[in-house]
Amino acid sequence: MKDHGRDRGSAIMGTTGTVIVDRDGYEIYDLKGKKTSEFKAGGATSSADLVGRDSMTTSILRISLRGFARERN
């Protein structure tokens, strides 16, 4: 079953909107459900790939680590 046209991924709901993330990119929606931003990785990835060696996984890890480092300082 696909949700938001994606085989798998995560929806992170916050106080100002929602971000839907998978290996192909992310989409950001405001509280009314309007897409306000998106990012697409270079090419489509396989939802059956359990290794996670793709550009989107690397990008998300890099962004997360930067955020964690800022919180510590």
Side-chain angles (χ1 to χ4, degrees):
M1 177 176 87
K2 288 192 175 196
D3 191 8
H4 289 85
R6 299 166 185 266
D7 291 319
R8 60 193 288 184
S10 299
I12 303 162
M13 294 177 256
T15 57
T16 60
T18 301
V19 62
I20 298 172
V21 182
D22 71 1
R23 294 178 180 188
D24 293 333
Y26 63 80
E27 296 173 346
I28 300 174
Y29 295 86
D30 64 15
L31 290 175
K32 295 180 181 177
K34 179 183 173 194
K35 188 188 305 184
T36 60
S37 181
E38 69 177 342
F39 171 81
K40 299 286 184 187
T45 59
S46 170
S47 64
D49 170 21
L50 300 178
V51 177
R53 290 185 188 144
D54 58 75
S55 62
M56 191 61 196
T57 301
T58 302
S59 180
I60 290 171
L61 180 58
R62 187 177 302 121
I63 291 167
S64 297
L65 290 174
R66 277 190 217 138
F68 297 144
R70 275 187 238 151
E71 287 182 15
R72 289 184 57 171
N73 294 330

